[in-house]
């Protein structure tokens, strides 16, 4: 199972002071050195952390692959078309949210999503949709012609004490993973995963890749990014 490191919050720290450091690109390179299989970045519409220049620098310097998370905003779709990341993951975006709050509603945005897919497919970009573990959303994603889906694990991650509820959500995720795999989609997962909850999700062998950001960058403040990545890789393995 691959591990994509989301480096958005390296830029969050930089933007807190408007400095040139810490550098998302340097952290991307150190993450790769420590075993990361890819680098994930979210170019948000409000550019609150990652900027275009970060995406370009990382794309030019990493040896693994870039996964660009983005909304369907036309200027950002055009940017992705020009930059050609290996992967694009389309996510919903709300201005006021602290982080992505749920999966994309593929059923209600078919036409808009289809247009973006058609454009990005011209550049052979591997396209994924960030969705809830919902069979109808998965079916529609396949119908629209994407290569992959990323299952939102946020709801699972946010259940802390109710084991029964957590098990139900885990079952839901498993069902979604198996269904998506059976209809020929590559299945990734992410959001809210940390050093405590990752192993249950990582035990679903059919998942291709986990994208993890906040917990790894936070832990890196204590132990350094190399150790933070190595420990997460070990837990996943
Ligand atoms: N996957 C997607 C699609 C996301 O939007 C995010 C957050 O940017 C992540 C994974 C990583 O989430 P977290 O920072 O909670 O690990």
């Amino acid at each position: 199972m691959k591990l994509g490191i989301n480096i958005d919050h390296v830029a969050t720290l930089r933007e807190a002071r408007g400095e040139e450091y810490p550098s998302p690109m340097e952290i991307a390179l150190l993450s790769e050195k420590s075993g990361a299989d890819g680098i994930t970045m979210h170019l948000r519409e409000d550019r609150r952390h990652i900027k275009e220049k970060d995406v370009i620098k990382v794309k030019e310097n990493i040896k693994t692959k870039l996964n660009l998370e983005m909304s369907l905003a036309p200027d950002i779709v055009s940017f992705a078309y020009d930059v050609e990341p290996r992967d694009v993951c389309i996510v919903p975006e709300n201005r006021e949210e602290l982080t992505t709050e749920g999966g994309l509603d593929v059923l209600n945005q078919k036409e808009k999503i289809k247009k973006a897919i058609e454009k990005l497919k011209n550049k052979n970009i591997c396209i994924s949709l960030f969705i809830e573990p919902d069979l109808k959303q998965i079916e529609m994603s396949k119908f629209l012609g994407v290569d992959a889906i990323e299952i939102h694990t946020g709801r699972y991650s946010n259940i802390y004490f109710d084991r029964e509820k957590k098990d139900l959500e885990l079952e839901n995720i498993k069902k979604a993973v198996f269904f998506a795999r059976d209809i020929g989609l590559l299945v990734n997962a992410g959001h809210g995963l940390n050093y405590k909850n990752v192993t249950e999700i990582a035990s679903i062998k059919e998942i291709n890749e986990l994208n993890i950001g906040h917990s790894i960058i936070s832990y890196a403040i204590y132990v350094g990014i190399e150790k933070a990545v190595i420990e997460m890789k070990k837990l996943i393995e």
Side-chain angles (χ1 to χ4, degrees):
M1 191 175 295
K2 299 189 193 87
L3 170 62
I5 308 289
N6 181 314
I7 58 171
D8 293 350
H9 297 306
V10 179
T12 302
L13 196 54
R14 179 191 64 191
E15 293 306 310
R17 282 294 172 91
E19 290 287 352
E20 290 299 312
Y21 62 86
S23 153
M25 203 265 286
E26 294 297 339
I27 295 297
L29 296 182
L30 287 170
S31 300
E32 278 190 326
K33 227 175 82 187
S34 312
D37 302 289
I39 302 299
T40 295
M41 310 169 86
H42 186 172
L43 182 67
R44 294 187 74 98
E45 288 172 30
D46 61 9
R47 312 296 197 272
R48 68 170 77 150
H49 39 50
I50 295 295
K51 318 280 185 214
E52 280 87 341
K53 65 173 188 209
D54 296 316
V55 179
I56 293 166
K57 255 192 185 170
V58 167
K59 163 85 197 305
E60 280 173 358
N61 287 284
I62 60 172
K63 292 185 190 69
T64 58
K65 61 157 181 119
L66 173 63
N67 172 31
L68 182 65
E69 289 175 3
M70 50 175 239
S71 72
L72 291 163
D75 64 317
I76 297 189
V77 175
S78 293
F79 174 74
Y81 181 85
D82 293 338
V83 173
E84 291 184 54
R86 220 284 311 266
D87 300 346
V88 154
C89 180
I90 300 174
V91 302
E93 217 176 279
N94 296 311
R95 277 296 154 86
E96 303 303 324
E97 68 190 358
L98 283 178
T99 181
T100 316
E101 283 170 348
L104 201 62
D105 188 351
V106 185
L107 298 168
N108 279 317
Q109 294 190 81
K110 288 192 286 277
E111 292 312 317
K112 218 170 155 193
I113 295 172
K114 202 165 152 220
K115 247 175 90 181
I117 293 172
E118 277 166 4
K119 180 163 179 154
L120 298 173
K121 277 277 170 205
N122 287 323
K123 291 284 186 82
N124 275 331
I125 295 168
C126 174
I127 302 164
S128 165
L129 303 179
F130 184 57
I131 56 175
E132 295 298 324
D134 177 297
L135 305 193
K136 284 208 165 68
Q137 297 285 348
I138 296 171
E139 230 169 7
M140 183 52 75
S141 302
K142 174 73 183 172
F143 177 76
L144 293 177
V146 293
D147 308 281
I149 54 163
E150 179 168 323
I151 292 188
H152 180 224
T153 50
R155 206 162 59 198
Y156 161 83
S157 301
N158 283 336
I159 305 169
Y160 295 100
F161 305 113
D162 191 335
R163 190 62 243 184
E164 208 173 311
K165 215 168 148 199
K166 204 165 180 77
D167 283 343
L168 270 176
E169 190 55 30
L170 193 60
E171 270 317 301
N172 226 5
I173 291 173
K174 282 184 187 165
K175 254 190 229 152
V177 171
F178 301 150
F179 178 70
R181 274 287 301 248
D182 285 350
I183 61 171
L185 290 165
L186 207 59
V187 189
N188 304 324
H191 212 280
L193 298 177
N194 59 38
Y195 294 85
K196 285 197 177 126
N197 65 20
V198 74
T199 49
E200 276 186 340
I201 297 292
S203 69
I204 310 171
K205 302 267 182 296
E206 289 76 7
I207 295 177
N208 168 61
E209 176 179 286
L210 298 179
N211 282 305
I212 309 179
H214 187 264
S215 62
I216 294 179
I217 302 303
S218 300
Y219 189 45
I221 290 175
Y222 299 106
V223 301
I225 189 69
E226 284 138 312
K227 193 164 174 341
V229 172
I230 289 167
E231 280 190 31
M232 186 57 85
K233 272 294 272 196
K234 262 197 204 140
L235 283 172
I236 292 171
E237 274 157 23

